[in-house]
Amino acid sequence: MTLGIDDTSWNGDGRPATPAAAPTSTPPSPDPALAARPEPAETAPEQVFRGIGVSPGIAIGPVVVLDHQGLRLPPRKVAAEAVAAEVARLDEALAAAAAECAQAEAEARQRLGPQYAEILAAHTAMIGDPQLRADARGRIEQHRISAEHAVIEVLEGHAGRLESLADSHLAARAADVRDIEARIVGKLAGRRPKSFQDDLAAPSLVLAHDLTPSDAAQLDPRRVLGFATEAGGRASHTAIVAAALEIPAVAGVGSLLDHARSARRAILDGEEGLVILDPAPPTLERYQAAAEQRSARYRTLSEEAGLPAVTLDGAEVGLWGNIEFVDEAAACLKWGAAGVGLYRTEFLYLRSIAPPTEEEQFEAYAEAVRSLQGRPIVIRTLDLGADKLSPHLGGGVEANPALGLRSLRFSLRRPELFRTQLRALLRASALGDVRVLLPLVTTLDELRRARAVLGEVAAELRAEGRPLREALPVGIMVEVPASALMADRFAKEVDFFSIGTNDLIQYTLAVDRTNETVADLYSAADPAVLRLIARVVEAAAARGIPCGVCGSMGGELLYTTFLLGLGVRELSMPPHQLPEVRRLIRGVRLDRAREVAAEALRLDTAGEVVALLESALLPMISDAATGAPAG
């Protein structure tokens, strides 16, 4: 395989990748899943594809296309006398697949740490779920179909329901379901899963329709420089693991593989979400230089992690981290976060075949609190809906789950689940600076009902003699226009606001943020969105309560100046975004930020707003890079 101008492949931090050792024996036969790429007679034209950057960095190298590899299945129908044998085959396959998944979990725990091993632990639990066996057995016995087809019917049904959801975080979990489906059916078909990495002749970029979480957990950064998938998004477990391994990754590229089969080399930009096939020499040289610059920049940024996030005129800004796994708190500390501004608790439910117990939740929350070493942590209550939890908690699939029974609405409808979570959360509050965040609050009645339940649970714990934090701060996520428009009233009844910009944009503009056909209409820069944010910040300031931003806007440099100009002084984001935002803040002057914000609120279109913010951003980045004193 030819690698490019100088036959050098580059990994995510800008350093040349270690070349693969020369084979000492006959190499294995190529896996048919790795598409053959004939050498082109002449240089192919450069092609650029845009997706979603899910793990930052730049990777340059040869291309390997991973095709779907179908299993050879037996005939669908079985004879009546063969039903008992099919059930026995099912049980053997479930046991073998669970054992294999448990082994993969142990290996992931050693390589990646416990939070990523939990992904595979969830798979093991799902394989061992008695309901899965019962559903598959029922199909075998009632419809006299093979064990393979029974498993596929059950799990494809779950995967299809997940993919239909408007919440991208949960729709991405279809990959987990298909991962365990492949394990079980593979055992039934007598085929041992094989890592595609075994056939890589050199460190490469892997392009696939999708990668399962199991594939991702086994990625070797020395062999896989980066990957891009046609499907998926930021919320997928595959993306989470890629970020942990610091492998650049792009998801949701769309129709990529048909174009990639003849490509000899590619560039993958995990920050901009770009895949460039057969880059022209000038493009290749530009990205090689950018990779080197990125490596140098992050070395400098790591040295600045202890610096305060203070503007040039002395205004302090609290930078917080968003986490989903407890162990991600370590990354928050590494990059100098003031605390955790959003701890999503959904994963505790997604990884379990049954709702987690009070004790299981308490242990998770307590570990997160202790790991922050006294820094505050904002724990958000369950942000899922009955439709999204139907495989575990019951409930039917709603036609429009984004407007249905989700988040706080769901918790209030299922008080036994809500009270269990609140008990665990309040118990953990005795261990440190814990704050509670209620998601998708729409009406004052919802807030008051939730606070009443919280008060009842606190009284129960006191009666039991359990310690808890008195005067526990309670805030709401401002994610819908209703709560933004009523922010002045909400401000009288809560301790803080946290603006969830992702859903706020979706609900304000009536645009499904997971629908690629209307993606051009989904814009944080839309004047309607900006005015709602300004209204919320103003209401918080009038009441004297903190107002932070924990949605994607909080970590996007384009909007940092605007948010500071409005008066936002708390920004929460994925830990890897903290260093760049800190550096920018240290180059901002508040008087200029206020001017930018005021001008943005006067504009008519998102395009005009973006142009204004981009023009304001460049000189501030320059000021920050010069190391001008800031506080």
Side-chain angles (χ1 to χ4, degrees), residues 170 346 349-350 382-386 388-389 405-407 410:
L170 292 160
E346 292 78 53
Y349 292 77
L350 289 170
L382 182 62
D383 190 12
L384 298 178
K388 304 161 189 172
L389 291 175
L405 190 62
R406 57 165 296 196
S407 304
F410 174 79

Side-chain angles (χ1 to χ4, degrees), residues 307-436:
L307 295 177
V310 180
T311 64
L312 289 171
D313 39 10
E316 295 186 10
V317 181
L319 294 185
W320 304 59
N322 295 342
I323 67 171
E324 185 174 41
F325 301 109
V326 172
D327 283 11
E328 288 178 290
C332 294
L333 299 182
K334 170 186 175 183
W335 293 111
V340 168
L342 176 62
Y343 175 19
R344 304 179 182 91
T345 59
E346 292 78 53
F347 189 71
L348 294 172
Y349 292 77
L350 289 170
R351 74 183 183 186
S352 303
I353 61 174
T357 65
E358 176 185 330
E359 200 61 33
E360 289 171 336
Q361 294 186 65
F362 168 72
E363 290 298 331
Y365 304 151
E367 183 180 351
V369 173
R370 294 188 186 104
S371 67
L372 287 173
Q373 303 171 14
R375 294 172 177 81
I377 179 170
V378 178
I379 302 178
R380 185 176 69 184
T381 61
L382 182 62
D383 190 12
L384 298 178
D387 61 299
K388 304 161 189 172
L389 291 175
S390 55
H392 307 318
L393 299 181
V397 175
E398 296 177 292
N400 194 341
L403 301 179
L405 190 62
R406 57 165 296 196
S407 304
L408 184 61
R409 300 172 184 176
F410 174 79
S411 294
L412 292 172
R413 192 74 64 90
R414 296 290 300 272
E416 73 284 2
L417 294 174
F418 194 33
R419 296 177 77 94
T420 297
Q421 180 175 38
L422 292 179
R423 281 181 61 90
L425 203 158
L426 285 169
R427 288 173 56 194
S429 73
L431 305 176
D433 187 353
V434 173
R435 307 168 192 187
V436 177

Side-chain angles (χ1 to χ4, degrees), residues 539-558:
R543 190 67 184 177
I545 64 173
C547 178
V549 174
C550 65
S552 294
M553 283 180 72
E556 294 181 23
L557 296 179
L558 183 65

